[in-house]
Amino acid sequence: MAGTSGSGSVAESLLPESNTCCGGLKRDFRQWIQWRNPSGSVGNRLPWQSLCSVLLILEMIPYFIWVKHSWVLCVMGGFFLIKAMVEAWGQQTPTWIVPGTCYMLFVVYILIIPTVAYMYGYCTMTSDIHFQGRDMVALLLYFGGSLFALAYEVGRFRWKAQAENKGKLHTVGLAAWCIHPNYLGDLFTYTGWALACGTTCAVSIPILMIWTFFLFVVPNSDFYLAERYPLEFPAYAQKTATLIPGLHSKVLSQILAWTCFTASVYLFCYACPGPCGY
């Protein structure tokens, strides 16, 4: 009995201990919705950056063909493509545009971007949103949201560049209003883009984004910040709204998220078959 037990212990000790499965993802389900490399290492980003850039350009080509009749939509699509390229090549850590796992690569380039390009491109052939100055309002929302997110990023970079702020969590400026001002700006950006499309179908995308932000994107970012700034982030998260300034309640955030999900699905089923041709 003792000999058998000892042999078992030796055999078990020779087996590599691992808390990962399915191609390197941790068994913690949260890793399945993270675009950052689960190992935390950056590695050689050039192949990923090149692959994602090629995929993005190829998937945006049909969009520009579909919206060639609208200079507003062409400008918005072009700005999106330039911004995505800057983000892809200007940052060496994984982002949603250049994710760190094959799983998120599939989600972004098989599900998200083709859907956005199709609904913001092909599905604009028939418009059901008409009012005077629609394009102007759309442009203000689009570039207002983009400038808001850009102002946050520039402010964060400048703050981080100061020697006394190295290794500290950025909590000032726009970050004092909510933890993720860049995502808040994105909501305005995609709302403006959808409004320029002129379809209720397109409007379902920014509504759905609220759900994805609260349930997937924000938890992913918060998890990263909590790991990187374990001493500062808990207090900051407790006193600061997550996404929408003034909205601190997690319960209300979940209610809003699922309300938006329901509304988006309804609009998708009710408003998209006509302009999208299905």
Side-chain angles (χ1 to χ4, degrees), residues 127-151:
S127 176
D128 60 359
I129 299 178
H130 305 279
F131 61 87
Q132 188 174 4
R134 186 195 71 190
D135 286 348
M136 182 59 64
V137 173
L139 286 168
L140 288 174
L141 285 171
Y142 185 89
F143 286 105
S146 298
L147 290 175
F148 184 86
L150 179 62

Side-chain angles (χ1 to χ4, degrees), residues 14 16 47 57 61 78 118 120 154-155 157 179 197 200 205-206 215 262 267:
L14 295 176
I57 293 173
I61 288 176
Y118 182 76
Y120 279 5
V154 171
F157 289 149
I179 299 176
C197 293
T200 307
I205 290 183
L215 266 71
T262 303
L267 290 177

Side-chain angles (χ1 to χ4, degrees), residues 33-36 178-184 187 209-226 233 237 240-244 250 253-254:
I33 60 172
Q34 290 190 356
W35 54 75
R36 295 180 175 86
C178 62
I179 299 176
H180 305 287
N182 49 338
Y183 300 151
L184 178 62
L187 287 178
M209 284 177 63
I210 297 176
W211 177 75
T212 60
F213 278 165
F214 275 117
L215 266 71
F216 302 104
V217 179
V218 166
N220 171 59
S221 296
D222 286 351
F223 182 71
Y224 167 77
L225 291 173
F233 185 73
T240 310
T242 300
L243 179 64
I244 300 175
K250 291 184 177 181
S253 296
Q254 290 294 310

Side-chain angles (χ1 to χ4, degrees), residues 4-252:
T4 303
S5 177
S7 300
S9 299
V10 172
E12 290 174 0
S13 66
L14 295 176
L15 294 174
E17 294 184 1
S18 174
N19 62 345
T20 63
C21 68
C22 310
L25 282 179
K26 290 183 179 179
R27 297 185 187 278
D28 185 346
F29 182 76
R30 288 173 297 185
Q31 297 295 343
W32 288 76
I33 60 172
Q34 290 190 356
W35 54 75
R36 295 180 175 86
N37 193 319
S39 66
S41 61
V42 175
N44 183 11
R45 298 287 296 162
L46 182 60
W48 278 106
Q49 291 169 312
S50 302
L51 174 62
C52 292
S53 297
V54 171
L55 288 175
L56 180 61
I57 293 173
L58 290 177
E59 292 179 358
M60 286 299 293
I61 288 176
Y63 167 84
F64 288 107
I65 295 175
W66 290 326
V67 303
K68 61 185 178 181
H69 62 281
S70 171
W71 69 269
V72 174
L73 292 177
C74 287
V75 168
M76 291 181 174
F79 187 83
F80 165 79
L81 187 58
I82 293 173
K83 180 183 176 184
M85 285 298 177
V86 171
E87 184 176 347
W89 291 96
Q91 188 169 333
Q92 292 304 310
T93 54
T95 64
W96 78 274
I97 204 69
V98 185
T101 66
C102 294
Y103 309 97
M104 283 307 302
L105 185 75
F106 173 85
V107 171
V108 172
Y109 288 99
I110 301 299
L111 301 179
I112 296 179
I113 293 181
T115 300
V116 171
Y118 182 76
M119 293 178 67
Y120 279 5
Y122 181 82
C123 298
T124 61
M125 303 297 183
T126 303
S127 176
D128 60 359
I129 299 178
H130 305 279
F131 61 87
Q132 188 174 4
R134 186 195 71 190
D135 286 348
M136 182 59 64
V137 173
L139 286 168
L140 288 174
L141 285 171
Y142 185 89
F143 286 105
S146 298
L147 290 175
F148 184 86
L150 179 62
Y152 163 72
E153 295 291 359
V154 171
R156 183 171 64 91
F157 289 149
R158 288 180 175 177
W159 187 86
K160 288 278 190 180
Q162 300 177 20
E164 62 271 21
N165 296 327
K166 291 290 185 181
K168 293 183 179 180
L169 176 64
H170 178 242
T171 62
V172 299
L174 295 178
W177 295 6
C178 62
I179 299 176
H180 305 287
N182 49 338
Y183 300 151
L184 178 62
D186 286 343
L187 287 178
F188 285 97
T189 296
Y190 282 88
T191 299
W193 199 351
L195 191 60
C197 293
T199 66
T200 307
C201 175
V203 173
S204 68
I205 290 183
I207 295 176
L208 182 64
M209 284 177 63
I210 297 176
W211 177 75
T212 60
F213 278 165
F214 275 117
L215 266 71
F216 302 104
V217 179
V218 166
N220 171 59
S221 296
D222 286 351
F223 182 71
Y224 167 77
L225 291 173
E227 282 196 330
R228 184 164 184 178
Y229 307 100
L231 299 179
E232 300 176 82
F233 185 73
Y236 173 59
Q238 187 174 11
K239 68 177 183 179
T240 310
T242 300
L243 179 64
I244 300 175
L247 182 58
H248 295 267
S249 172
K250 291 184 177 181
V251 174
L252 291 179

